[in-house]
Amino acid sequence: MAKQLDYNTMREIFTRFRNSEPEPKGELEHVNVYTLVVAVALSAQATDAGVNKATRKLFEIADTPEKMLALGEEGVTEHIKTIGLFRQKAKNVIKLSRILVDEFGGQVPNSRAALQSLPGVGRKTANVVLNMWWHYPAQAVDTHIFRVGNRTGIAPGKTVDVVERAIEDNVPVDFQLHAHHWLILHGRYICVARKPKCGACLIKDLCPFEEKTI
């Protein structure tokens, strides 16, 4: 685990990220905030590409909690059976849809606590929704961000909560909105787990990672 980088280095790193990708986007397909919640909940222990493949037809026929309830658990299961843990996820989609209808008038709430009250929605999922839909500078720490944060010194920490706080505390505020997307994309395509592509890295001269590849 690298030491926390200093402020000037952090500014330079995120300036490079922003210059390369001024408006980074999440890769989960959705048509409204409800389908975003469902897609992010389904993405746990699954790839975005796999979730997108499964949800395209699902969201064509069920893009509201009411329509999802009408489809039923078995109907949801049929659409998402290519995704890991699909049976439990189908149960959660139906349960969260019922709660949205019964307790929130069919609307997705925009507080972290309310989002986390939904089955299958943890802090990471809530933060993704708050960031992507309501443009709140929430930091959703997944395996990519955890790895990048620790390798680079951008956000070192032994737990996801510590890494989340390190991003909030140390990334300059003008980069906070897109920070988690830049870090996810960097971890997904460049700073990969086994053989990081250091030769193609925008920040290789600023990164203290000792096991850099050529």
Side-chain angles (χ1 to χ4, degrees):
M1 181 168 60
K3 293 182 179 180
Q4 176 67 56
L5 297 176
D6 64 79
Y7 176 80
N8 290 331
T9 303
M10 294 282 281
R11 280 212 68 87
E12 177 61 23
I13 284 173
F14 282 94
T15 297
R16 293 183 191 183
F17 283 152
R18 182 169 62 188
N19 289 343
S20 175
E21 188 78 36
E23 294 289 333
K25 304 294 183 186
E27 297 183 324
L28 283 172
E29 297 173 6
H30 57 283
V31 296
N32 54 31
V33 65
Y34 168 71
T35 55
L36 176 60
V37 171
V38 172
V40 180
L42 292 176
S43 71
Q45 295 181 296
T47 65
D48 288 0
V51 172
N52 291 339
K53 186 176 180 180
T55 57
R56 284 183 192 123
K57 289 185 178 180
L58 174 63
F59 292 160
E60 286 179 5
I61 60 176
D63 60 355
T64 68
E66 294 84 357
K67 291 177 184 177
M68 197 70 76
L69 289 171
L71 184 61
E73 186 178 321
E74 286 305 312
V76 175
T77 300
E78 275 301 302
H79 280 88
I80 69 168
K81 60 186 178 182
T82 56
I83 301 174
L85 307 175
F86 66 93
R87 293 194 187 281
Q88 184 58 49
K89 288 178 179 178
K91 292 181 189 296
N92 286 340
V93 168
I94 292 299
K95 287 179 182 177
L96 73 83
S97 299
R98 172 55 61 194
I99 291 172
L100 287 175
V101 170
D102 291 349
E103 299 182 19
F104 297 100
Q107 302 299 308
V108 175
N110 64 351
S111 82
R112 184 184 284 117
L115 285 167
Q116 286 187 245
S117 74
L118 301 173
V121 177
R123 185 179 179 88
K124 185 185 80 170
T125 296
N127 281 348
V128 171
V129 174
L130 291 171
N131 182 273
M132 288 181 64
W133 193 261
W134 283 291
H135 308 297
Y136 180 79
Q139 307 303 331
V141 178
D142 67 354
T143 56
H144 298 302
I145 291 183
F146 188 82
R147 179 175 65 254
V148 172
N150 278 290
R151 274 183 180 172
T152 62
I154 289 172
K158 292 183 178 180
T159 69
V160 292
D161 290 340
V162 173
V163 170
E164 181 181 329
R165 287 196 297 272
I167 295 172
E168 292 174 347
D169 291 345
N170 296 294
V171 173
V173 68
D174 45 321
F175 299 111
Q176 287 274 341
L177 179 60
H178 294 312
H180 101 272
H181 274 130
W182 283 318
L183 294 173
I184 285 173
L185 294 171
H186 191 64
R188 185 173 290 164
Y189 297 110
I190 302 297
C191 196
V192 295
R194 294 189 178 180
K195 291 185 178 180
K197 301 172 185 177
C198 299
C201 179
L202 286 172
I203 62 169
K204 59 180 178 288
D205 57 314
L206 303 173
C207 174
F209 184 49
E210 294 180 356
E211 301 172 41
K212 288 179 183 175
T213 59
I214 298 175

